[in-house]
Amino acid sequence: MSERDHAARMDAKYRRVRHVYDLTRKYFLFGRDHALEILDPRSASSILEIGCGTGRNLRAIARLAPEAEVHGIDISAEMLKSAGGKTASLKNVRLRQADATTLDTERLFGNRGYDAVLMSYSLSMVPDWKAALAKAIKAVGPGGRLVVVDFGRFEGYGRFGPMIVEALSKADAPPLPDLHGAVTRAISGRSHLRASFGKSMRGYYVWAVVERANR
């Protein structure tokens, strides 16, 4: 799927849904606040969210780190309308429309490396998610970290697990088949990067943290 086609698909998906997105997603996008705790915005001077959606996380981040540069990108112009509204009063937030798979933060924001990078339930929505993961890792500056949180494989839900995975796949958010393996391969042979992983709620959601050495 081309960048233009994906953008159009996401705009069509969220044109109306964005108005009730935060109200409805609070009941099943678990782990977002956990990811913010791991991200630790208060210790960062520059923060990027890839796939910022309605700006829910950006607003929380900007309030936790009012002196930091807080940047957000999303492929959907419709979602950015909501994000812009949520963060309009926050002077340290900047938004841009961009594709995660071709992300160039220096061109967009003049920043080559961030102290903290977040992907919250956005990686699974990118068709070429491995390319997006590579760009996210590249966006981490010395001493910084990337935090990814997304749907797990629901392995603790018995016969309902595959049904949930199928439903999410039909909703353009197929759970990542192997986040642990993909991250491990992406940083293989790069001694300045290290990763840690976890999962919660019987495999409902998973997270990965990639940290870059301060050098």
Side-chain angles (χ1 to χ4, degrees), residues 6 29 119-129 132 148-151 168-169 171-177:
H6 186 46
L29 292 187
M119 294 194 79
S120 175
Y121 285 95
S122 58
L123 188 58
S124 59
M125 300 200 71
V126 182
D128 189 358
W129 63 272
V148 178
V149 62
D150 220 307
F151 290 113
L168 288 170
S169 298
D172 294 314
L176 304 173

Side-chain angles (χ1 to χ4, degrees), residues 203-215:
Y204 188 107
Y205 71 88
V206 296
W207 69 90
V209 181
V210 177
E211 297 177 288
R212 183 181 295 270
N214 190 9
R215 67 179 191 187

Side-chain angles (χ1 to χ4, degrees), residues 13-92:
K13 181 180 181 69
Y14 292 120
R15 185 164 286 114
R16 293 182 176 84
V17 174
R18 69 183 178 88
H19 298 291
V20 296
Y21 185 93
D22 290 330
L23 178 63
T24 58
R25 267 54 177 183
K26 68 183 291 185
Y27 298 108
F28 63 88
L29 292 187
F30 302 116
R32 293 183 295 177
D33 291 335
H34 182 197
L36 291 180
E37 291 176 7
I38 299 171
L39 192 72
D40 190 17
R42 292 185 179 91
S43 67
S45 60
S46 59
I47 305 162
L48 170 69
E49 182 173 16
I50 301 173
C52 63
T54 64
R56 181 260 190 192
N57 295 327
L58 285 179
R59 183 169 61 181
I61 288 169
R63 288 174 173 173
L64 289 169
E67 302 302 318
E69 292 184 356
V70 181
H71 300 157
I73 69 109
D74 203 284
I75 198 169
S76 171
E78 292 294 325
M79 282 299 229
L80 287 173
K81 291 177 183 177
S82 291
K86 272 192 174 61
T87 61
S89 64
L90 300 168
K91 304 306 180 184
N92 59 330

Side-chain angles (χ1 to χ4, degrees), residues 137 146 180 183-184 187 193-197 208-212:
I137 293 172
L146 162 68
H180 186 289
V183 170
T184 300
I187 68 172
L193 296 174
R194 65 177 183 177
S196 56
F197 306 90
V209 181
V210 177
E211 297 177 288
R212 183 181 295 270

Side-chain angles (χ1 to χ4, degrees), residues 48 50 100-101 103 105 111-119 123 129-148 179-197 208-213:
L48 170 69
I50 301 173
T101 65
L103 180 61
T105 59
N111 192 317
R112 297 182 63 182
Y114 290 83
D115 296 330
V117 179
L118 175 66
M119 294 194 79
L123 188 58
W129 63 272
K130 292 181 181 178
L133 176 62
K135 288 293 186 179
I137 293 172
K138 184 178 180 181
V140 179
R145 67 179 55 178
L146 162 68
V147 178
V148 178
L179 178 62
H180 186 289
V183 170
T184 300
R185 288 187 291 273
I187 68 172
S188 178
R190 302 165 72 180
S191 60
H192 61 294
L193 296 174
R194 65 177 183 177
S196 56
F197 306 90
V209 181
V210 177
E211 297 177 288
R212 183 181 295 270

